[in-house]
Amino acid sequence: MKNVLFMLLWYVVAYAIVTAIGILHTIFNITVLHMKSMKESEGMGEGYERTKPWHTLYNIVIFPIFAYIYFSGFVSVTWEVVALTSLVWGTITIILDLFGWVIIKHPWSLTFKQFYVEYQPWITLIYITIYASPFIAFGIMEYV
């Protein structure tokens, strides 16, 4: 039970950091670089559109770090733990994104089409990255 709580804790921290970086990057583009916002242009806005290629990078850096931190609490890490972490983190992300960015309406919410069609290939790459992150962390632990 303790390990599951830590798995979820490190997931929430990683997700929050990645989300904050993406939001701050968009705000930077709009306020400092004077790119158009969602209100000022079609679709998701230039400020957000320009951040999309970076989203996978945020995830490939942040999620393996927190998987590594999580695995550091184990005496030994097994493939089963890595696979379970991958399955849980990736699946929770898909569900959380659906509710947090599509179903629950807020100023930055997107339509289903915007999030799952127009956000391609980035959203797919992000999900692959999150599912892969525990394996990346495990590989680093094994070879470093």
Side-chain angles (χ1 to χ4, degrees):
M1 182 64 172
K2 176 185 162 190
N3 286 338
V4 172
L5 292 176
F6 279 114
M7 178 198 308
L8 295 175
L9 169 71
W10 293 125
Y11 167 80
V12 168
V13 171
Y15 188 91
I17 290 171
V18 165
T19 301
I21 291 170
I23 290 169
L24 291 171
H25 189 176
T26 301
I27 291 169
F28 176 84
N29 284 355
I30 294 167
T31 59
V32 176
L33 301 179
H34 307 290
M35 293 180 188
K36 293 180 181 177
S37 69
M38 290 173 84
K39 292 178 183 177
E40 301 168 327
S41 61
E42 290 184 26
M44 295 181 269
E46 179 189 18
Y48 174 74
E49 289 291 332
R50 294 283 184 98
T51 68
K52 287 161 97 175
W54 295 91
H55 295 180
T56 304
L57 181 62
Y58 308 151
N59 285 277
I60 199 74
V61 171
I62 300 299
F63 271 92
I65 289 171
F66 286 94
Y68 187 95
I69 293 169
Y70 169 59
F71 294 149
S72 295
F74 286 79
V75 173
S76 75
V77 181
T78 64
W79 275 100
E80 290 81 12
V81 169
V82 173
L84 178 63
T85 304
S86 169
L87 183 65
V88 169
W89 283 15
T91 305
I92 288 175
T93 301
I94 291 169
I95 295 166
L96 191 58
D97 281 354
L98 175 63
F99 282 91
W101 296 109
V102 178
I103 293 175
I104 299 171
K105 298 304 175 197
H106 53 81
W108 286 26
S109 64
L110 304 168
T111 66
F112 190 88
K113 181 182 176 194
Q114 287 173 317
F115 197 75
Y116 294 104
V117 177
E118 294 172 13
Y119 193 15
Q120 293 296 340
W122 312 115
I123 192 64
T124 299
L125 293 172
I126 288 166
Y127 291 153
I128 290 168
T129 298
I130 293 171
Y131 277 110
S133 291
F135 294 98
I136 294 167
F138 181 68
I140 291 168
M141 292 178 95
E142 289 293 307
Y143 299 105
V144 173

Short mmCIF file of all heavy atoms in Angstrom, two decimals, residues 58-117:
data_model
loop_
_atom_site.label_atom_id
_atom_site.label_comp_id
_atom_site.label_asym_id
_atom_site.label_seq_id
_atom_site.Cartn_x
_atom_site.Cartn_y
_atom_site.Cartn_z
N TYR A 58 9.24 18.04 -22.38
CA TYR A 58 8.98 18.23 -20.95
C TYR A 58 8.74 16.88 -20.28
O TYR A 58 9.25 16.59 -19.20
CB TYR A 58 7.73 19.07 -20.67
CG TYR A 58 7.59 20.39 -21.33
CD1 TYR A 58 6.32 20.89 -21.60
CD2 TYR A 58 8.68 21.17 -21.68
CE1 TYR A 58 6.13 22.12 -22.20
CE2 TYR A 58 8.50 22.40 -22.29
CZ TYR A 58 7.23 22.87 -22.54
OH TYR A 58 7.04 24.08 -23.14
N ASN A 59 7.93 16.06 -20.93
CA ASN A 59 7.56 14.76 -20.36
C ASN A 59 8.73 13.78 -20.33
O ASN A 59 8.88 13.06 -19.34
CB ASN A 59 6.38 14.17 -21.13
CG ASN A 59 5.09 14.85 -20.78
OD1 ASN A 59 4.46 14.53 -19.79
ND2 ASN A 59 4.69 15.82 -21.58
N ILE A 60 9.53 13.76 -21.37
CA ILE A 60 10.65 12.80 -21.44
C ILE A 60 11.74 13.15 -20.42
O ILE A 60 12.52 12.29 -20.02
CB ILE A 60 11.23 12.68 -22.87
CG1 ILE A 60 12.03 11.39 -23.05
CG2 ILE A 60 12.12 13.84 -23.22
CD1 ILE A 60 11.22 10.16 -23.15
N VAL A 61 11.78 14.39 -19.98
CA VAL A 61 12.74 14.79 -18.95
C VAL A 61 12.15 14.59 -17.56
O VAL A 61 12.78 13.98 -16.70
CB VAL A 61 13.17 16.27 -19.14
CG1 VAL A 61 13.98 16.75 -17.96
CG2 VAL A 61 13.95 16.43 -20.43
N ILE A 62 10.94 15.06 -17.33
CA ILE A 62 10.36 15.09 -15.98
C ILE A 62 9.91 13.71 -15.50
O ILE A 62 10.25 13.29 -14.38
CB ILE A 62 9.18 16.09 -15.91
CG1 ILE A 62 9.66 17.51 -16.26
CG2 ILE A 62 8.49 16.04 -14.56
CD1 ILE A 62 10.70 18.08 -15.34
N PHE A 63 9.14 12.98 -16.28
CA PHE A 63 8.59 11.72 -15.79
C PHE A 63 9.65 10.67 -15.44
O PHE A 63 9.53 10.01 -14.40
CB PHE A 63 7.53 11.17 -16.75
CG PHE A 63 6.15 11.69 -16.44
CD1 PHE A 63 5.68 12.84 -17.05
CD2 PHE A 63 5.35 11.07 -15.51
CE1 PHE A 63 4.43 13.35 -16.75
CE2 PHE A 63 4.09 11.56 -15.20
CZ PHE A 63 3.63 12.70 -15.81
N PRO A 64 10.70 10.47 -16.23
CA PRO A 64 11.72 9.51 -15.81
C PRO A 64 12.42 9.92 -14.50
O PRO A 64 12.80 9.05 -13.71
CB PRO A 64 12.71 9.48 -16.97
CG PRO A 64 11.88 9.85 -18.15
CD PRO A 64 10.92 10.89 -17.63
N ILE A 65 12.59 11.21 -14.27
CA ILE A 65 13.21 11.66 -13.01
C ILE A 65 12.36 11.20 -11.83
O ILE A 65 12.88 10.66 -10.85
CB ILE A 65 13.37 13.20 -12.99
CG1 ILE A 65 14.45 13.63 -13.97
CG2 ILE A 65 13.67 13.71 -11.58
CD1 ILE A 65 14.54 15.14 -14.20
N PHE A 66 11.05 11.37 -11.93
CA PHE A 66 10.19 11.00 -10.81
C PHE A 66 9.98 9.50 -10.72
O PHE A 66 9.77 8.96 -9.62
CB PHE A 66 8.90 11.81 -10.83
CG PHE A 66 9.16 13.22 -10.39
CD1 PHE A 66 9.42 14.21 -11.33
CD2 PHE A 66 9.23 13.54 -9.05
CE1 PHE A 66 9.72 15.51 -10.93
CE2 PHE A 66 9.53 14.83 -8.64
CZ PHE A 66 9.78 15.82 -9.58
N ALA A 67 10.06 8.80 -11.84
CA ALA A 67 10.06 7.33 -11.78
C ALA A 67 11.33 6.86 -11.08
O ALA A 67 11.30 5.95 -10.23
CB ALA A 67 9.97 6.74 -13.18
N TYR A 68 12.45 7.48 -11.39
CA TYR A 68 13.73 7.14 -10.74
C TYR A 68 13.64 7.39 -9.23
O TYR A 68 14.08 6.55 -8.44
CB TYR A 68 14.85 7.98 -11.36
CG TYR A 68 16.23 7.61 -10.90
CD1 TYR A 68 17.00 6.73 -11.64
CD2 TYR A 68 16.77 8.14 -9.72
CE1 TYR A 68 18.28 6.37 -11.22
CE2 TYR A 68 18.04 7.79 -9.30
CZ TYR A 68 18.79 6.91 -10.04
OH TYR A 68 20.05 6.55 -9.62
N ILE A 69 13.10 8.52 -8.85
CA ILE A 69 12.93 8.83 -7.42
C ILE A 69 12.04 7.77 -6.76
O ILE A 69 12.35 7.27 -5.67
CB ILE A 69 12.35 10.24 -7.22
CG1 ILE A 69 13.35 11.31 -7.66
CG2 ILE A 69 11.92 10.46 -5.76
CD1 ILE A 69 12.77 12.71 -7.76
N TYR A 70 10.95 7.42 -7.42
CA TYR A 70 10.05 6.39 -6.88
C TYR A 70 10.78 5.06 -6.73
O TYR A 70 10.73 4.43 -5.68
CB TYR A 70 8.82 6.26 -7.77
CG TYR A 70 7.96 5.07 -7.45
CD1 TYR A 70 7.40 4.91 -6.18
CD2 TYR A 70 7.69 4.10 -8.42
CE1 TYR A 70 6.61 3.81 -5.89
CE2 TYR A 70 6.90 3.01 -8.13
CZ TYR A 70 6.36 2.87 -6.87
OH TYR A 70 5.58 1.78 -6.57
N PHE A 71 11.48 4.62 -7.76
CA PHE A 71 12.17 3.34 -7.72
C PHE A 71 13.32 3.33 -6.71
O PHE A 71 13.71 2.28 -6.22
CB PHE A 71 12.70 2.96 -9.10
CG PHE A 71 11.63 2.69 -10.11
CD1 PHE A 71 11.85 2.97 -11.46
CD2 PHE A 71 10.40 2.16 -9.75
CE1 PHE A 71 10.87 2.72 -12.41
CE2 PHE A 71 9.41 1.91 -10.70
CZ PHE A 71 9.65 2.18 -12.03
N SER A 72 13.86 4.50 -6.42
CA SER A 72 14.95 4.58 -5.44
C SER A 72 14.51 4.13 -4.05
O SER A 72 15.35 3.79 -3.21
CB SER A 72 15.50 6.00 -5.36
OG SER A 72 16.10 6.36 -6.59
N GLY A 73 13.22 4.13 -3.80
CA GLY A 73 12.70 3.68 -2.51
C GLY A 73 12.61 2.17 -2.38
O GLY A 73 12.29 1.66 -1.30
N PHE A 74 12.92 1.45 -3.43
CA PHE A 74 12.86 -0.02 -3.41
C PHE A 74 14.25 -0.59 -3.13
O PHE A 74 15.26 -0.03 -3.56
CB PHE A 74 12.40 -0.56 -4.76
CG PHE A 74 10.93 -0.38 -5.03
CD1 PHE A 74 10.43 0.84 -5.45
CD2 PHE A 74 10.06 -1.44 -4.87
CE1 PHE A 74 9.08 1.00 -5.71
CE2 PHE A 74 8.71 -1.29 -5.13
CZ PHE A 74 8.21 -0.07 -5.55
N VAL A 75 14.27 -1.73 -2.46
CA VAL A 75 15.54 -2.45 -2.28
C VAL A 75 15.99 -2.98 -3.63
O VAL A 75 17.16 -2.87 -3.99
CB VAL A 75 15.37 -3.60 -1.25
CG1 VAL A 75 16.63 -4.45 -1.18
CG2 VAL A 75 15.01 -3.04 0.12
N SER A 76 15.07 -3.56 -4.37
CA SER A 76 15.35 -3.95 -5.75
C SER A 76 14.10 -3.70 -6.58
O SER A 76 12.98 -3.88 -6.12
CB SER A 76 15.79 -5.42 -5.84
OG SER A 76 14.70 -6.28 -5.68
N VAL A 77 14.32 -3.28 -7.80
CA VAL A 77 13.21 -2.95 -8.70
C VAL A 77 13.06 -4.10 -9.69
O VAL A 77 14.02 -4.51 -10.32
CB VAL A 77 13.47 -1.63 -9.45
CG1 VAL A 77 12.31 -1.29 -10.37
CG2 VAL A 77 13.75 -0.50 -8.48
N THR A 78 11.84 -4.60 -9.81
CA THR A 78 11.57 -5.71 -10.73
C THR A 78 10.86 -5.18 -11.98
O THR A 78 10.29 -4.09 -11.97
CB THR A 78 10.67 -6.76 -10.05
OG1 THR A 78 9.40 -6.17 -9.76
CG2 THR A 78 11.31 -7.28 -8.77
N TRP A 79 10.87 -6.00 -13.03
CA TRP A 79 10.16 -5.65 -14.24
C TRP A 79 8.66 -5.51 -13.97
O TRP A 79 7.99 -4.70 -14.60
CB TRP A 79 10.39 -6.71 -15.32
CG TRP A 79 11.65 -6.46 -16.09
CD1 TRP A 79 12.84 -7.07 -15.92
CD2 TRP A 79 11.83 -5.51 -17.14
NE1 TRP A 79 13.77 -6.56 -16.79
CE2 TRP A 79 13.17 -5.60 -17.57
CE3 TRP A 79 11.00 -4.59 -17.77
CZ2 TRP A 79 13.68 -4.81 -18.58
CZ3 TRP A 79 11.52 -3.81 -18.78
CH2 TRP A 79 12.84 -3.93 -19.18
N GLU A 80 8.16 -6.28 -13.02
CA GLU A 80 6.74 -6.21 -12.68
C GLU A 80 6.39 -4.83 -12.11
O GLU A 80 5.36 -4.24 -12.45
CB GLU A 80 6.35 -7.30 -11.68
CG GLU A 80 6.36 -8.70 -12.27
CD GLU A 80 7.76 -9.31 -12.35
OE1 GLU A 80 8.72 -8.77 -11.75
OE2 GLU A 80 7.90 -10.34 -13.04
N VAL A 81 7.24 -4.31 -11.23
CA VAL A 81 7.02 -2.98 -10.64
C VAL A 81 7.10 -1.91 -11.73
O VAL A 81 6.28 -0.99 -11.77
CB VAL A 81 8.03 -2.69 -9.51
CG1 VAL A 81 7.99 -1.23 -9.08
CG2 VAL A 81 7.78 -3.60 -8.33
N VAL A 82 8.06 -2.04 -12.61
CA VAL A 82 8.23 -1.08 -13.70
C VAL A 82 7.01 -1.11 -14.62
O VAL A 82 6.45 -0.06 -14.97
CB VAL A 82 9.53 -1.37 -14.49
CG1 VAL A 82 9.62 -0.49 -15.72
CG2 VAL A 82 10.75 -1.20 -13.59
N ALA A 83 6.58 -2.30 -14.99
CA ALA A 83 5.42 -2.44 -15.88
C ALA A 83 4.14 -1.91 -15.21
O ALA A 83 3.34 -1.23 -15.87
CB ALA A 83 5.24 -3.89 -16.30
N LEU A 84 3.96 -2.19 -13.93
CA LEU A 84 2.78 -1.70 -13.22
C LEU A 84 2.81 -0.17 -13.14
O LEU A 84 1.78 0.48 -13.39
CB LEU A 84 2.72 -2.29 -11.80
CG LEU A 84 1.55 -1.80 -10.95
CD1 LEU A 84 0.22 -2.22 -11.57
CD2 LEU A 84 1.67 -2.30 -9.53
N THR A 85 3.95 0.41 -12.85
CA THR A 85 4.09 1.86 -12.79
C THR A 85 3.77 2.47 -14.15
O THR A 85 3.04 3.46 -14.25
CB THR A 85 5.50 2.26 -12.33
OG1 THR A 85 5.77 1.65 -11.06
CG2 THR A 85 5.63 3.77 -12.21
N SER A 86 4.29 1.88 -15.20
CA SER A 86 4.02 2.33 -16.56
C SER A 86 2.52 2.31 -16.85
O SER A 86 1.95 3.30 -17.33
CB SER A 86 4.76 1.45 -17.56
OG SER A 86 4.34 1.70 -18.87
N LEU A 87 1.89 1.20 -16.57
CA LEU A 87 0.47 1.04 -16.83
C LEU A 87 -0.36 2.04 -16.04
O LEU A 87 -1.25 2.70 -16.59
CB LEU A 87 0.03 -0.39 -16.50
CG LEU A 87 -1.42 -0.73 -16.78
CD1 LEU A 87 -1.70 -0.67 -18.28
CD2 LEU A 87 -1.73 -2.12 -16.25
N VAL A 88 -0.05 2.21 -14.77
CA VAL A 88 -0.80 3.13 -13.91
C VAL A 88 -0.59 4.57 -14.36
O VAL A 88 -1.55 5.32 -14.56
CB VAL A 88 -0.42 2.94 -12.43
CG1 VAL A 88 -0.99 4.06 -11.55
CG2 VAL A 88 -0.90 1.58 -11.92
N TRP A 89 0.67 4.99 -14.53
CA TRP A 89 0.95 6.38 -14.88
C TRP A 89 0.36 6.75 -16.24
O TRP A 89 -0.26 7.80 -16.39
CB TRP A 89 2.45 6.64 -14.86
CG TRP A 89 3.03 6.79 -13.49
CD1 TRP A 89 2.45 6.44 -12.31
CD2 TRP A 89 4.30 7.31 -13.16
NE1 TRP A 89 3.29 6.73 -11.26
CE2 TRP A 89 4.45 7.26 -11.75
CE3 TRP A 89 5.36 7.81 -13.91
CZ2 TRP A 89 5.59 7.69 -11.09
CZ3 TRP A 89 6.51 8.24 -13.25
CH2 TRP A 89 6.61 8.19 -11.86
N GLY A 90 0.54 5.90 -17.23
CA GLY A 90 0.02 6.20 -18.55
C GLY A 90 -1.49 6.25 -18.59
O GLY A 90 -2.08 7.17 -19.16
N THR A 91 -2.13 5.29 -17.94
CA THR A 91 -3.58 5.23 -17.95
C THR A 91 -4.20 6.37 -17.16
O THR A 91 -5.18 6.99 -17.61
CB THR A 91 -4.05 3.86 -17.41
OG1 THR A 91 -3.42 2.82 -18.19
CG2 THR A 91 -5.55 3.73 -17.49
N ILE A 92 -3.64 6.69 -16.01
CA ILE A 92 -4.14 7.83 -15.24
C ILE A 92 -4.01 9.11 -16.05
O ILE A 92 -4.90 9.96 -16.03
CB ILE A 92 -3.41 7.96 -13.88
CG1 ILE A 92 -3.83 6.85 -12.94
CG2 ILE A 92 -3.68 9.32 -13.25
CD1 ILE A 92 -3.06 6.83 -11.63
N THR A 93 -2.92 9.27 -16.77
CA THR A 93 -2.73 10.47 -17.59
C THR A 93 -3.82 10.60 -18.64
O THR A 93 -4.38 11.69 -18.83
CB THR A 93 -1.35 10.46 -18.27
OG1 THR A 93 -0.33 10.39 -17.27
CG2 THR A 93 -1.14 11.69 -19.13
N ILE A 94 -4.13 9.53 -19.32
CA ILE A 94 -5.16 9.57 -20.35
C ILE A 94 -6.51 9.97 -19.75
O ILE A 94 -7.21 10.83 -20.29
CB ILE A 94 -5.25 8.21 -21.09
CG1 ILE A 94 -3.97 8.00 -21.93
CG2 ILE A 94 -6.50 8.13 -21.96
CD1 ILE A 94 -3.81 6.61 -22.50
N ILE A 95 -6.86 9.39 -18.62
CA ILE A 95 -8.14 9.69 -17.95
C ILE A 95 -8.14 11.12 -17.42
O ILE A 95 -9.10 11.87 -17.62
CB ILE A 95 -8.42 8.68 -16.83
CG1 ILE A 95 -8.63 7.28 -17.43
CG2 ILE A 95 -9.61 9.12 -15.98
CD1 ILE A 95 -8.59 6.15 -16.42
N LEU A 96 -7.05 11.50 -16.75
CA LEU A 96 -6.94 12.85 -16.19
C LEU A 96 -7.00 13.91 -17.29
O LEU A 96 -7.68 14.93 -17.14
CB LEU A 96 -5.64 12.98 -15.39
CG LEU A 96 -5.44 14.20 -14.52
CD1 LEU A 96 -6.56 14.32 -13.49
CD2 LEU A 96 -4.10 14.10 -13.82
N ASP A 97 -6.31 13.68 -18.39
CA ASP A 97 -6.34 14.62 -19.52
C ASP A 97 -7.75 14.76 -20.09
O ASP A 97 -8.18 15.88 -20.41
CB ASP A 97 -5.39 14.18 -20.63
CG ASP A 97 -3.94 14.50 -20.36
OD1 ASP A 97 -3.65 15.18 -19.35
OD2 ASP A 97 -3.09 14.06 -21.16
N LEU A 98 -8.45 13.66 -20.23
CA LEU A 98 -9.81 13.71 -20.76
C LEU A 98 -10.69 14.61 -19.90
O LEU A 98 -11.38 15.49 -20.41
CB LEU A 98 -10.40 12.31 -20.86
CG LEU A 98 -11.87 12.24 -21.29
CD1 LEU A 98 -12.06 12.79 -22.70
CD2 LEU A 98 -12.37 10.80 -21.20
N PHE A 99 -10.63 14.40 -18.59
CA PHE A 99 -11.46 15.22 -17.70
C PHE A 99 -10.91 16.64 -17.55
O PHE A 99 -11.66 17.60 -17.62
CB PHE A 99 -11.59 14.55 -16.32
CG PHE A 99 -12.59 13.44 -16.33
CD1 PHE A 99 -12.20 12.14 -16.59
CD2 PHE A 99 -13.93 13.69 -16.09
CE1 PHE A 99 -13.12 11.11 -16.63
CE2 PHE A 99 -14.86 12.66 -16.11
CZ PHE A 99 -14.45 11.37 -16.38
N GLY A 100 -9.60 16.76 -17.36
CA GLY A 100 -9.01 18.06 -17.07
C GLY A 100 -8.89 19.01 -18.24
O GLY A 100 -8.88 20.23 -18.04
N TRP A 101 -8.81 18.48 -19.45
CA TRP A 101 -8.63 19.35 -20.62
C TRP A 101 -9.80 19.35 -21.59
O TRP A 101 -9.88 20.22 -22.45
CB TRP A 101 -7.35 18.98 -21.37
CG TRP A 101 -6.13 19.20 -20.55
CD1 TRP A 101 -5.33 18.24 -20.00
CD2 TRP A 101 -5.57 20.46 -20.13
NE1 TRP A 101 -4.31 18.83 -19.27
CE2 TRP A 101 -4.44 20.19 -19.35
CE3 TRP A 101 -5.93 21.79 -20.36
CZ2 TRP A 101 -3.65 21.19 -18.79
CZ3 TRP A 101 -5.14 22.78 -19.80
CH2 TRP A 101 -4.02 22.47 -19.03
N VAL A 102 -10.72 18.36 -21.46
CA VAL A 102 -11.82 18.28 -22.42
C VAL A 102 -13.19 18.37 -21.73
O VAL A 102 -13.99 19.23 -22.06
CB VAL A 102 -11.73 16.98 -23.27
CG1 VAL A 102 -12.91 16.88 -24.23
CG2 VAL A 102 -10.42 16.92 -24.03
N ILE A 103 -13.46 17.50 -20.78
CA ILE A 103 -14.80 17.41 -20.19
C ILE A 103 -15.10 18.58 -19.26
O ILE A 103 -16.15 19.21 -19.36
CB ILE A 103 -14.98 16.06 -19.46
CG1 ILE A 103 -14.99 14.93 -20.50
CG2 ILE A 103 -16.26 16.07 -18.63
CD1 ILE A 103 -15.05 13.53 -19.92
N ILE A 104 -14.17 18.89 -18.35
CA ILE A 104 -14.38 20.01 -17.41
C ILE A 104 -14.05 21.31 -18.14
O ILE A 104 -12.93 21.50 -18.59
CB ILE A 104 -13.52 19.85 -16.15
CG1 ILE A 104 -13.91 18.56 -15.41
CG2 ILE A 104 -13.66 21.07 -15.24
CD1 ILE A 104 -12.99 18.19 -14.27
N LYS A 105 -15.02 22.17 -18.26
CA LYS A 105 -14.84 23.41 -19.02
C LYS A 105 -14.16 24.49 -18.18
O LYS A 105 -14.53 24.71 -17.03
CB LYS A 105 -16.19 23.92 -19.54
CG LYS A 105 -16.88 22.94 -20.49
CD LYS A 105 -15.99 22.58 -21.67
CE LYS A 105 -16.60 21.53 -22.56
NZ LYS A 105 -15.65 20.90 -23.45
N HIS A 106 -13.16 25.10 -18.74
CA HIS A 106 -12.42 26.21 -18.14
C HIS A 106 -11.83 27.03 -19.28
O HIS A 106 -11.94 26.63 -20.45
CB HIS A 106 -11.34 25.69 -17.17
CG HIS A 106 -10.41 24.67 -17.77
ND1 HIS A 106 -9.33 25.01 -18.55
CD2 HIS A 106 -10.41 23.32 -17.71
CE1 HIS A 106 -8.70 23.90 -18.94
NE2 HIS A 106 -9.34 22.87 -18.45
N PRO A 107 -11.22 28.18 -18.98
CA PRO A 107 -10.74 29.05 -20.08
C PRO A 107 -9.77 28.36 -21.05
O PRO A 107 -9.68 28.76 -22.21
CB PRO A 107 -10.05 30.20 -19.34
CG PRO A 107 -10.75 30.26 -18.03
CD PRO A 107 -11.07 28.83 -17.68
N TRP A 108 -9.04 27.36 -20.61
CA TRP A 108 -8.08 26.71 -21.48
C TRP A 108 -8.53 25.32 -21.93
O TRP A 108 -7.76 24.57 -22.51
CB TRP A 108 -6.72 26.60 -20.79
CG TRP A 108 -6.00 27.90 -20.71
CD1 TRP A 108 -6.54 29.16 -20.70
CD2 TRP A 108 -4.59 28.08 -20.62
NE1 TRP A 108 -5.55 30.10 -20.61
CE2 TRP A 108 -4.34 29.48 -20.56
CE3 TRP A 108 -3.52 27.22 -20.58
CZ2 TRP A 108 -3.07 30.00 -20.46
CZ3 TRP A 108 -2.25 27.76 -20.48
CH2 TRP A 108 -2.03 29.14 -20.43
N SER A 109 -9.78 24.97 -21.65
CA SER A 109 -10.25 23.65 -22.06
C SER A 109 -10.36 23.59 -23.59
O SER A 109 -10.50 24.61 -24.26
CB SER A 109 -11.59 23.31 -21.40
OG SER A 109 -12.60 24.19 -21.82
N LEU A 110 -10.26 22.39 -24.09
CA LEU A 110 -10.26 22.15 -25.53
C LEU A 110 -11.41 21.23 -25.89
O LEU A 110 -11.92 20.49 -25.04
CB LEU A 110 -8.94 21.51 -25.94
CG LEU A 110 -7.66 22.27 -25.55
CD1 LEU A 110 -6.44 21.41 -25.76
CD2 LEU A 110 -7.56 23.56 -26.33
N THR A 111 -11.80 21.25 -27.14
CA THR A 111 -12.79 20.29 -27.60
C THR A 111 -12.10 18.94 -27.79
O THR A 111 -10.86 18.85 -27.83
CB THR A 111 -13.39 20.73 -28.96
OG1 THR A 111 -12.35 20.69 -29.95
CG2 THR A 111 -14.03 22.11 -28.87
N PHE A 112 -12.91 17.91 -27.93
CA PHE A 112 -12.37 16.58 -28.17
C PHE A 112 -11.49 16.60 -29.43
O PHE A 112 -10.39 16.07 -29.43
CB PHE A 112 -13.51 15.57 -28.31
CG PHE A 112 -13.05 14.15 -28.32
CD1 PHE A 112 -12.89 13.45 -27.13
CD2 PHE A 112 -12.76 13.50 -29.51
CE1 PHE A 112 -12.45 12.13 -27.13
CE2 PHE A 112 -12.32 12.18 -29.53
CZ PHE A 112 -12.16 11.49 -28.33
N LYS A 113 -11.99 17.26 -30.48
CA LYS A 113 -11.24 17.33 -31.74
C LYS A 113 -9.93 18.07 -31.56
O LYS A 113 -8.89 17.64 -32.07
CB LYS A 113 -12.09 18.01 -32.82
CG LYS A 113 -11.38 18.10 -34.16
CD LYS A 113 -12.22 18.83 -35.19
CE LYS A 113 -11.41 18.97 -36.47
NZ LYS A 113 -12.02 19.93 -37.38
N GLN A 114 -9.94 19.20 -30.86
CA GLN A 114 -8.71 19.95 -30.64
C GLN A 114 -7.68 19.13 -29.88
O GLN A 114 -6.50 19.14 -30.22
CB GLN A 114 -8.99 21.24 -29.86
CG GLN A 114 -9.67 22.32 -30.65
CD GLN A 114 -10.08 23.48 -29.77
OE1 GLN A 114 -10.60 23.31 -28.67
NE2 GLN A 114 -9.85 24.69 -30.27
N PHE A 115 -8.14 18.41 -28.85
CA PHE A 115 -7.19 17.68 -28.01
C PHE A 115 -6.69 16.39 -28.63
O PHE A 115 -5.51 16.06 -28.55
CB PHE A 115 -7.81 17.40 -26.63
CG PHE A 115 -6.79 17.03 -25.60
CD1 PHE A 115 -5.97 18.00 -25.04
CD2 PHE A 115 -6.63 15.72 -25.19
CE1 PHE A 115 -5.01 17.67 -24.09
CE2 PHE A 115 -5.67 15.39 -24.24
CZ PHE A 115 -4.87 16.36 -23.69
N TYR A 116 -7.58 15.64 -29.26
CA TYR A 116 -7.20 14.32 -29.75
C TYR A 116 -6.91 14.24 -31.24
O TYR A 116 -6.31 13.26 -31.69
CB TYR A 116 -8.25 13.28 -29.36
CG TYR A 116 -8.32 13.10 -27.86
CD1 TYR A 116 -9.35 13.66 -27.12
CD2 TYR A 116 -7.32 12.42 -27.18
CE1 TYR A 116 -9.41 13.52 -25.74
CE2 TYR A 116 -7.36 12.28 -25.80
CZ TYR A 116 -8.40 12.83 -25.09
OH TYR A 116 -8.43 12.70 -23.74
N VAL A 117 -7.29 15.25 -32.01
CA VAL A 117 -7.03 15.24 -33.45
C VAL A 117 -6.01 16.32 -33.81
O VAL A 117 -4.95 16.03 -34.38
CB VAL A 117 -8.33 15.42 -34.27
CG1 VAL A 117 -8.03 15.49 -35.76
CG2 VAL A 117 -9.31 14.30 -33.96
#
